[in-house]
């Protein structure tokens, strides 16, 4: 039984930081790409950051320099460290896993191709 469980969301003031965690269980955690997506009210879901099994990373332009994605191997988790949060970062954040990397890393920010999805966690920046 494959499970992705997110945690760490909540309300936060603009300029502050939050750390989201996505714990993986039930599959080969290190395999392929894992990513974080978010959906703001009234908008389509968008890719925020993704990391491949060899550590290659891609970020959405809107979060470059502020967000960091990395793997916590001990916890079998993918972490999204968010700093200097802005109101436009508000959204429902969901992690996804097990995407074949292909040859175009920017496509890891696309929803298509991910096998597993978590339930998500809300981030509200005011």
């Amino acid at each position: 039984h494959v499970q992705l469980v997110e945690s760490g969301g909540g309300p936060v003031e603009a300029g502050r930081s939050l750390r989201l965690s996505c714990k993986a269980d039930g599959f080969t955690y290190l395999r392929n790409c894992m990513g974080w997506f978010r959906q703001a009210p009234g908008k389509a879901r968008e890719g925020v950051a993704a990391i491949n099994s060899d550590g290659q990373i891609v970020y959405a332009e809107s979060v470059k320099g502020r967000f960091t994605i990395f793997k916590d191997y001990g916890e079998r988790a993918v972490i999204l460290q968010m700093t200097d949060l802005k109101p436009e970062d508000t959204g429902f954040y969901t992690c996804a896993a097990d995407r074949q990397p292909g040859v175009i890393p920017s496509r890891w920010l696309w929803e298509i191709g991910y096998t597993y999805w978590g339930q998500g966690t809300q981030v509200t920046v005011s």
Side-chain angles (χ1 to χ4, degrees):
H1 174 65
V2 175
Q3 209 172 13
L4 298 175
V5 180
E6 300 96 333
S7 62
V12 64
E13 293 180 349
R16 303 297 292 269
S17 300
L18 270 181
R19 182 180 174 113
L20 303 183
S21 173
C22 172
K23 288 194 175 183
D25 195 17
F27 71 105
T28 305
Y29 156 68
L30 295 177
R31 185 176 70 198
N32 298 327
C33 296
M34 296 186 73
W36 279 97
F37 293 76
R38 68 184 180 190
Q39 186 167 21
K43 294 187 177 181
R45 186 158 58 184
E46 62 174 349
V48 175
I51 183 168
N52 194 13
S53 57
D54 62 4
Q56 191 174 359
I57 292 169
V58 293
Y59 293 103
E61 286 296 324
S62 60
V63 306
K64 278 184 180 178
R66 300 187 298 120
F67 289 14
T68 303
I69 185 172
F70 61 93
K71 291 184 176 182
D72 182 335
Y73 295 97
E75 292 293 320
R76 292 178 57 85
V78 174
I79 308 298
L80 186 67
Q81 179 68 46
M82 307 185 292
T83 63
D84 190 23
L85 283 161
K86 304 176 180 181
E88 51 264 42
D89 293 318
T90 293
F92 195 70
Y93 284 69
T94 308
C95 75
D98 200 23
R99 186 196 194 283
Q100 292 285 340
V103 296
I104 305 177
S106 61
R107 293 185 178 179
W108 303 345
L109 299 180
W110 296 7
E111 293 182 57
I112 191 170
Y114 285 91
T115 304
Y116 307 112
W117 291 83
Q119 294 299 307
T121 184
Q122 178 68 35
V123 172
T124 303
V125 185
S126 60

